[in-house]
Amino acid sequence: MRRPCCDRDGMNKGAWSKHEDQKLIDYITTHGEGSWRSLPKAAGLHRCGKSCRLRWINYLRPDIKRGNFGQDEEDLITKLHALLGNRWSLIAGRLPGRTDNEVKNYWNSHLRKKLIKLGIDPNNHRVNQNHGATHPQTTHHNDHNVISGSINGHGTTSDAASCLEEYETSAAASSDHHHLNLDLTIAFPFSDHYEHGHDHRLIEIEPQNNEPFKAKDKIMEVSTNNIYTTFPTLILFR
DNA sequence: AATCGCAACAACCGCAGGGAC
DNA sequence: GGTCCCTGCGGTTGTTGCGAT
């Protein structure tokens, strides 16, 4: 039986008061982050450690960027969601000053609806067949009805293997917004990882101008069955 | 002015991964 | 290898604010 993360008797719940915030800030400023389980007692807070961690990470950290998302941030979130799915912490990691919770909320409250309005299924980033509206840069990808972008020579490729082999390239967004790290390199290391007859390939993702992803995040395994989904979606918002 | 409905956002909860023992 | 604990993640719920009626 898992021990509860904290003794809930006598613990505060709900919105944080200014006084509590200040206590948490003061404590972390002095002692640093970590040891969340023991932190509330040490800091004199009647809160669960998880709650303290969340409050700090999502709202109190000094490098948090508040305020509306810019168009460049929206584009990047959409692009990364197409690539990574609901991996909010990874997505937020590409947006300086934004937290996973903030990105998640923004996706659920704004971007999802925006895509739906454009006739794009936010779950797989495909154009809904029955939807009249089309994205300005959207083309239907053969009979797969997949969104494709403006990558020369790739928009009509129907064979996934040849498409991928052509696409060992710098794939994602370059941007004028230098404060955001938008550059990703998508490579397909066939020689090392791909064997004919197997149903999986490994796709390596490396940021070009920041620290690398953590090892566990570096490699995505993608079934060849998903290539039509994943691959053109990847280039949608270039 | 009251209240209703909805959107946005803050916070909680359960679970999984990983390290220490 | 098994267990415990800490931490982080993602889904979900609760709360608040605001516009419409």
Side-chain angles (χ1 to χ4, degrees):
Chain A
M1 189 66 178
R2 172 176 288 268
R3 194 162 69 111
C5 77
C6 56
D7 176 13
R8 287 167 198 189
D9 291 340
M11 289 292 164
N12 290 345
K13 283 180 74 173
W16 279 64
S17 68
K18 282 199 157 128
H19 187 58
E20 287 177 307
D21 281 348
Q22 197 54 53
K23 271 188 173 176
L24 185 56
I25 291 168
D26 289 346
Y27 183 85
I28 291 177
T29 303
T30 309
H31 299 91
E33 289 182 45
S35 306
W36 297 109
R37 203 179 185 100
S38 56
L39 184 149
K41 197 175 177 183
L45 285 160
H46 298 287
R47 289 277 181 175
C48 157
K50 273 173 99 166
S51 179
C52 294
R53 177 185 159 269
L54 215 58
R55 183 67 183 170
W56 173 256
I57 288 177
N58 287 335
Y59 299 98
L60 299 178
R61 251 171 37 195
D63 56 335
I64 297 283
K65 180 175 164 186
R66 313 299 302 177
N68 294 340
F69 282 73
Q71 187 58 49
D72 50 353
E73 289 177 303
E74 277 192 16
D75 290 346
L76 184 58
I77 292 167
T78 309
K79 209 159 40 188
L80 289 173
H81 187 270
L83 177 64
L84 301 167
N86 293 356
R87 300 178 70 184
W88 303 115
S89 61
L90 265 184
I91 294 171
R94 313 295 296 180
L95 290 148
R98 300 295 189 184
T99 68
D100 54 353
N101 204 38
E102 200 176 8
V103 170
K104 179 175 60 182
N105 283 333
Y106 191 71
W107 172 265
N108 286 328
S109 58
H110 292 89
L111 293 179
R112 265 180 67 85
K113 289 168 191 169
K114 200 169 172 180
L115 289 186
I116 289 167
K117 214 172 175 180
L118 288 169
I120 297 167
D121 185 334
N123 297 314
N124 56 20
H125 294 256
R126 291 173 177 228
V127 176
N128 286 329
Q129 240 152 1
N130 297 329
H131 196 284
T134 53
H135 189 280
Q137 284 193 320
T138 295
T139 57
H140 287 243
H141 194 283
N142 295 341
D143 55 340
H144 298 285
N145 193 28
V146 172
I147 306 158
S148 68
S150 54
I151 302 278
N152 291 338
H154 298 287
T156 58
T157 306
S158 59
D159 174 65
S162 64
C163 182
L164 285 167
E165 282 159 12
E166 286 174 38
Y167 200 70
E168 187 172 327
T169 181
S170 163
S174 62
S175 168
D176 295 334
H177 307 284
H178 297 302
H179 60 287
L180 293 175
N181 178 11
L182 301 180
D183 295 327
L184 297 169
T185 295
I186 313 298
F188 303 92
F190 292 144
S191 56
D192 293 332
H193 302 292
Y194 177 67
E195 294 174 50
H196 288 282
H198 288 204
D199 199 27
H200 293 82
R201 296 172 186 215
L202 296 173
I203 298 177
E204 191 165 359
I205 305 168
E206 292 183 18
Q208 288 185 333
N209 57 359
N210 248 359
E211 75 287 351
F213 287 127
K214 288 178 287 187
K216 68 171 183 173
D217 298 315
K218 199 172 180 182
I219 303 294
M220 284 201 316
E221 197 166 9
V222 180
S223 157
T224 51
N225 293 334
N226 290 336
I227 281 174
Y228 279 120
T229 301
T230 304
F231 180 65
T233 305
L234 193 65
I235 61 179
L236 165 62
F237 297 100
R238 196 178 179 196

